[in-house]
Amino acid sequence: MRPPELIKISPVIWELPVSYKTGMRVPARIYATEKLIDQMDSGVFDQVSNVAMLPGIVNYSFCMPDGHWGYGFPIGGVAAMDTDDGVISPGGIGFDINCGMRLMLTSLTYDELKPKLHKLVDKLFNNVPTGVGEKSRYAISKSDFRKVMINGSRWCIENGFGWQEDLLRTEETGCIDGADPSKVSDKAVERGYHQLGTLGSGNHYLEIQVVKRESIFDAKTAESIGIFPDQVVIMFHCGSRGFGHQIATDYLRVFLKAMPEYGISVPDRELACAPFRSGVGQDYFSAMKCAINMSFANRQMIAHQVREVFADVFGVSAIRLSIHQVYDIAHNTAKLEYHDVNGVRKRLLVHRKGSTRAFGPDMEGIPQEYKKTGQPVIIGGSMETGSYLLSGVKSGKQTFYSTTHGSGRVMSRKQARKQFRGKELQMRMEKEGIYTRSVSYGGLAEEAGKAYKNIDDVIDAASMAGISHPIVKFLPVGNIKG
Amino acid sequence: MPYKYIEDKFIADVAFEAWGGTREELFMAASDATAGLMVENLKNIENINENSENKIIELKETEIDMLLFDVLQELIFFKDAYQLICRFRNVKITSENKRIVFKGTAVGEKIDYKKHNLAVDVKAVTLHEFKVQYSNNLWKAHVVLDI
């Protein structure tokens, strides 16, 4: 239910003024069409306005078109903080630090895939560890894991788990500087050191998708990336697993205790925060970077396993199958970036929780090969409806170059379980040409397409608002889930 | 079952209410509500046998709500660190030098995909609307878990 104070700024931008709630330092802006704004739950308006109260927030508290009720921040929340007097908040990043998406191409066409689809999905399901508490196939020592914390995907490439070019096509080249393992608890290491190369569960998945000719919206850019009609591509979604979850939990407690010392009070304990420049703020930032690097490495190890499975099933090498990575980009993170604020270039700490960075053409920090097109933005939809590749655009400046990250749920997990039966859903999807394997029928039911907003509506809103540009939509044909 | 999941409010995550006549009962109910999200047939873990793994837990906190937060977080830690789905037994909550002390045995089984109907990976206990209250002779908790 939209609040009466909500002001329509444009057909896709809505604003809650600072008068909406006592303590708001900046207005809140929500990106949505009329249809999407009506689908948003009351939690979005409450939480996006709570975020507007955080010290040092610049311009606006944002919520993206896929926004929905979260904890602390809404999912889809974006907040840029002044690095001199602003805060850092684990709740603005999420427990799954650096959760993100990776997209890989193949030279295969759908016709070439079809006879081997079941074998391929079955083998991916058997080889990529998936589901509750699942362990890595690789025996990685705690000492090696320490190297992963510092070097991220680079550690994987140095140890033969990927190609050098993968690094160039990963945000931060797969390794963010400044990670400090001494700021990470033993508990976090114990929880996550054996989870490298695992998918997890919930909305985490690995999908085989197909490009339909009619779903290519920008043929020139698609071609420049190596995308062609009827092509088979691979997309997956996962994060920093138990390691990142524990770091976020550890620092949530630290920040709760530290807040009175800095005279900070928040309307929701999940917004616990500390000044970015403070000791605890910097400790968390350094620990969080370890989780960022672990997450890049986790997806790199999955990419390696995917290449092995494709090579085995098709009987030719991954190189001959041209399994090149398009990009790897996170949607749960806080990063230091330079942005124009009222004509002044400022260094800001941009929190994105369920929002993807979408740097426009020519911006620093994106691979040379994407300088003309803008940064690739990978948007995972529901397992029934499809996913998108977008690019960043110059007009993305309005949201500190942030856009949507997925479809956004409209139905709770428990409601979805009541409404759908996992086994029936699996059979129906197979009739529709999507072969799915999951360790949990209940978990599968929770991820039914109808539990999510229409991905096309979300992408339309992001495109109309000028925060990203659609290149191509991918349709799922195979899926593995935890 | 002294807990219930809240169906229509928290869309991407899962919330529950748990209750008990004593703090011990409340903590055991909230623990089962958490573990019950990870496996659908929690009763399978009820049949404690020679294959069960025990972990003795002792936690101290000044506030009862943060003590529950830590106890639930331990269950999530066991799931990832040791691949154990646990339920608490022999729970005692006492006071000691202005702190509240939880002692209990986490009794669990190694995750077995054939035996346990696995559900979802609980990532964390959140503090969003996290509450522990005592009224009308009943201890109650409201918890939102990140999925």
Side-chain angles (χ1 to χ4, degrees):
Chain A
M1 180 73 79
R2 59 173 96 165
E5 296 89 342
L6 192 69
I7 303 161
K8 190 172 185 175
I9 303 290
S10 81
V12 279
I13 303 175
W14 306 78
E15 184 169 306
L16 288 169
V18 289
S19 57
Y20 176 64
K21 200 183 269 182
T22 305
M24 283 174 69
R25 296 166 191 261
V26 293
R29 283 202 162 182
I30 301 160
Y31 283 68
T33 55
E34 286 270 354
K35 182 180 172 187
L36 289 174
I37 202 94
D38 284 335
Q39 285 180 344
M40 284 181 178
D41 47 70
S42 61
V44 168
F45 307 107
D46 191 38
Q47 293 180 333
V48 76
S49 53
N50 286 345
V51 173
M53 298 178 186
L54 292 176
I57 188 166
V58 175
N59 287 1
Y60 300 98
S61 162
F62 292 107
C63 184
M64 297 294 113
D66 55 337
H68 58 81
W69 198 315
Y71 43 86
F73 275 53
I75 307 300
V78 178
M81 304 300 182
D82 189 301
T83 49
D84 291 326
D85 59 9
V87 295
I88 183 167
S89 172
I93 295 154
F95 286 96
D96 200 356
I97 296 167
N98 214 50
C99 184
M101 305 292 303
R102 187 172 289 212
L103 173 65
M104 301 167 85
L105 305 179
T106 74
S107 57
L108 295 163
T109 63
Y110 186 36
D111 282 343
E112 289 168 325
L113 169 75
K114 267 187 215 166
K116 294 188 171 176
L117 177 65
H118 281 221
K119 188 177 174 188
L120 179 71
V121 171
D122 288 344
K123 202 160 177 71
L124 284 168
F125 184 66
N126 291 332
N127 283 35
V128 181
T130 303
V132 178
E134 192 65 3
K135 285 174 78 171
S136 175
R137 283 172 59 209
Y138 306 100
I140 290 160
S141 66
K142 286 183 185 171
S143 145
D144 275 343
F145 190 70
R146 196 180 161 80
K147 292 174 190 162
V148 170
M149 286 189 234
I150 297 167
N151 297 315
S153 291
R154 285 182 202 164
W155 179 89
C156 307
I157 305 303
E158 284 163 10
N159 286 276
F161 301 111
W163 303 348
Q164 196 67 34
E165 67 175 46
D166 299 344
L167 297 180
L168 297 175
R169 294 176 186 149
T170 302
E171 183 183 9
E172 300 288 344
T173 60
C175 172
I176 194 162
D177 288 337
D180 182 354
S182 75
K183 305 300 180 190
V184 172
S185 69
D186 291 343
K187 206 163 190 170
V189 175
E190 189 71 29
R191 199 172 152 187
Y193 82 98
H194 47 60
Q195 291 186 325
L196 210 56
T198 65
L199 201 55
S201 80
N203 63 354
H204 293 161
Y205 64 87
L206 189 156
E207 222 164 60
I208 310 298
Q209 303 168 343
V210 170
V211 178
K212 296 282 183 192
R213 186 178 294 276
E214 62 274 21
S215 301
I216 298 177
F217 308 109
D218 179 344
K220 195 176 161 195
T221 304
E223 191 182 353
S224 76
I225 291 170
I227 291 168
F228 57 85
D230 292 323
Q231 185 180 23
V232 173
V233 305
I234 306 134
M235 184 181 283
F236 53 91
H237 173 216
C238 60
S240 49
R241 308 287 287 114
F243 178 65
H245 310 164
Q246 190 64 43
I247 289 173
T249 298
D250 290 342
Y251 279 93
L252 178 62
R253 286 190 124 274
V254 170
F255 281 18
L256 275 177
K257 286 192 175 143
M259 278 197 302
E261 187 187 330
Y262 298 106
I264 299 172
S265 64
V266 289
D268 176 346
R269 284 191 287 179
E270 272 296 326
L271 290 174
C273 56
F276 177 64
R277 284 179 172 274
S278 67
V280 288
Q282 287 297 302
D283 285 352
Y284 171 63
F285 196 47
S286 304
M288 183 197 68
K289 286 177 172 179
C290 292
I292 288 180
N293 285 337
M294 188 279 184
S295 166
F296 285 137
N298 188 34
R299 290 194 288 275
Q300 184 61 48
M301 298 297 273
I302 291 174
H304 174 71
Q305 293 172 86
V306 166
R307 283 180 175 138
E308 281 185 336
V309 169
F310 267 75
D312 183 43
V313 170
F314 288 93
V316 289
S317 70
I319 293 173
R320 289 219 24 218
L321 289 168
S322 301
I323 306 183
H324 296 289
Q325 181 168 315
V326 173
Y327 205 50
D328 178 303
I329 182 83
H331 47 234
N332 277 11
T333 187
K335 290 172 67 173
L336 288 172
E337 296 169 5
Y338 284 92
H339 292 279
D340 180 343
V341 181
N342 303 322
V344 179
R345 182 174 145 89
K346 290 200 77 170
R347 192 179 75 148
L348 303 174
L349 180 70
V350 185
H351 293 68
R352 296 186 181 94
K353 182 182 181 183
S355 167
T356 315
R357 189 192 75 176
F359 278 179
D362 299 324
M363 285 182 72
E364 280 177 34
I366 61 176
Q368 191 60 37
E369 63 192 299
Y370 299 130
K371 287 277 187 192
K372 273 191 185 168
T373 58
Q375 175 218 299
V377 174
I378 306 160
I379 306 294
S382 80
M383 62 186 180
E384 290 189 81
T385 52
S387 300
Y388 276 82
L389 177 66
L390 318 176
S391 61
V393 288
K394 286 194 170 156
S395 51
K397 180 182 170 186
Q398 59 187 302
T399 53
F400 300 110
Y401 299 96
S402 310
T403 189
T404 184
H405 88 304
S407 295
R409 291 190 75 94
V410 284
M411 189 184 290
S412 77
R413 292 181 176 279
K414 290 287 172 190
Q415 282 172 322
R417 272 180 185 248
K418 273 193 174 168
Q419 196 154 328
F420 310 105
R421 294 278 171 273
K423 182 122 186 157
E424 286 169 21
L425 179 65
Q426 187 185 41
M427 287 163 65
R428 179 165 58 77
M429 284 172 65
E430 192 167 353
K431 276 185 191 159
E432 290 165 2
I434 309 166
Y435 179 56
T436 305
R437 291 290 308 271
S438 173
V439 292
S440 163
Y441 283 124
L444 196 66
E446 289 181 10
E447 296 299 319
K450 285 186 179 162
Y452 285 86
K453 292 174 193 172
N454 182 335
I455 183 84
D456 300 335
D457 292 344
V458 171
I459 301 302
D460 281 349
S463 175
M464 285 164 66
I467 54 174
S468 43
H469 164 72
I471 299 171
V472 58
K473 181 180 181 181
F474 306 108
L475 296 178
V477 292
N479 181 302
I480 70 166
K481 293 192 74 66
Chain B
M1 223 169 31
Y3 60 85
K4 67 171 181 192
Y5 296 111
I6 299 165
E7 293 197 359
D8 54 355
K9 193 172 169 188
F10 301 93
I11 288 177
D13 303 306
V14 175
F16 67 81
E17 279 176 358
W19 57 89
T22 63
R23 292 182 296 186
E24 286 83 354
E25 284 173 11
L26 168 70
F27 274 53
M28 285 170 69
S31 302
D32 275 0
T34 303
L37 285 171
M38 303 182 211
V39 291
E40 288 172 1
N41 47 352
L42 194 59
K43 283 189 177 171
N44 273 4
I45 306 206
E46 213 167 59
N47 305 320
I48 294 159
N49 55 39
E50 68 277 7
N51 296 322
S52 302
E53 294 201 23
N54 294 357
K55 303 258 179 211
I56 310 288
I57 306 298
E58 183 171 332
L59 296 165
K60 295 177 184 177
E61 246 301 328
T62 51
E63 305 296 331
I64 188 78
D65 60 343
M66 293 314 290
L67 185 64
L68 179 63
F69 178 89
D70 286 347
V71 168
L72 299 183
Q73 201 59 53
E74 284 295 292
L75 286 182
I76 298 168
F77 173 74
F78 291 149
K79 175 260 300 175
D80 282 330
Y82 312 123
Q83 295 72 55
L84 281 176
I85 304 291
C86 295
R87 308 184 78 185
F88 276 109
R89 294 280 180 274
N90 309 320
V91 172
K92 288 270 178 237
I93 297 176
T94 54
S95 295
E96 183 186 297
N97 298 329
K98 294 184 181 171
R99 293 212 288 177
I100 314 163
V101 182
F102 172 95
K103 283 182 190 165
T105 309
V107 182
E109 287 186 5
K110 280 271 185 197
I111 290 172
D112 177 347
Y113 282 75
K114 287 178 186 153
K115 181 179 178 190
H116 305 125
N117 285 345
L118 292 164
V120 291
D121 220 347
V122 178
K123 292 175 185 167
V125 184
T126 82
L127 287 173
H128 181 58
E129 297 190 9
F130 187 83
K131 236 182 282 175
V132 176
Q133 286 176 310
Y134 182 69
S135 65
N136 299 324
N137 298 320
L138 201 63
W139 283 95
K140 272 188 184 175
H142 181 276
V143 180
V144 182
L145 299 170
D146 185 23
I147 302 296

